[in-house]
Amino acid sequence: EILASLDRRGLHYFIWERATSRPESWRSTLLSTDFLRTHTRILAGDRSDYLFEVLPDKGEGWGEGEQNLLADPGLETLEDSGPWRTEGKVSARKGIVSLLRRDSSLAQRVPVSAGNAYLLLATGRCAGSTDTFVLALRWFDARGVELGAAAETVVPGTATSAQFLRHVAPKRAVSVSAEVASSGTRCEV
């Protein structure tokens, strides 16, 4: 129905300014990560603004079929010797991590190639419908010097939903810290 409506209007591209969107917009079918991954392609993204191309037929789903760079992406082994680093008050059980305070975070550093686009997907929910958490990609050079970060606040709602962050690795980037952080509310990822 949504695809037919866009087609009738001749809309083949749209921009989502996530930072200015109302929380209920995040839960619309058009802007749900599942719909976007199935029926659009991300052409560009910067500072929480994304340009999407609507695909005429069902697409491959962006991020699917791509190599997952994260070790333990299902968060099954959150311990001192594992690949994930935690900060603050974090509780983990059966692949669900609760970020309990403002300073709570979960991070993993992996190698990247400069100039390539990277996608961070996180499935989560929060205690309140307007509560948020932050997804971040923090870029590093070969000496471990931070080159910058791309961070976006996402509004998952109270029902579990997929959220994303996509950015291009800057020049000289050789690694990235993929991070999920609390923004002061209780959320699970």
Side-chain angles (χ1 to χ4, degrees), residues 32-187:
S32 72
T33 300
D34 292 337
F35 181 87
L36 293 171
R37 287 182 73 192
T38 302
H39 300 289
T40 71
R41 175 180 19 248
I42 299 175
L43 298 178
D46 190 33
R47 297 188 190 137
S48 196
D49 297 338
Y50 289 90
L51 172 61
F52 295 95
E53 176 183 20
V54 179
L55 302 174
D57 296 314
K58 185 175 180 178
E60 293 179 18
W62 36 266
E64 292 180 30
E66 302 286 332
Q67 178 188 3
N68 189 338
L69 301 177
L70 296 173
D72 185 27
L75 304 173
E76 299 297 327
T77 57
L78 214 63
E79 50 196 48
D80 291 339
S81 61
W84 293 101
R85 179 178 41 93
T86 60
E87 298 275 332
K89 183 96 167 126
V90 174
S91 169
R93 63 178 162 60
K94 296 182 183 178
I96 298 174
V97 176
S98 296
L99 304 170
L100 303 173
R101 293 199 182 127
R102 180 171 294 283
D103 62 348
S104 301
S105 67
L106 176 68
Q108 185 179 143
R109 198 152 151 185
V110 295
V112 295
S113 297
N116 287 345
Y118 290 90
L119 176 69
L120 176 58
L121 288 168
T123 301
R125 67 182 182 160
C126 294
S129 62
T130 61
D131 292 347
T132 62
F133 60 84
V134 177
L135 297 177
L137 296 171
R138 195 170 308 285
W139 312 101
F140 296 90
D141 69 10
R143 294 179 309 206
V145 175
E146 185 175 329
L147 299 172
E152 296 179 17
T153 300
V154 295
V155 187
T158 56
T160 302
S161 66
Q163 301 299 317
F164 70 93
L165 167 68
R166 180 200 173 269
H167 280 270
V168 174
K171 293 178 184 176
R172 301 187 346 263
V174 298
S175 67
V176 66
S177 177
E179 304 175 4
V180 180
S182 172
S183 49
T185 57
R186 183 184 169 110
C187 295

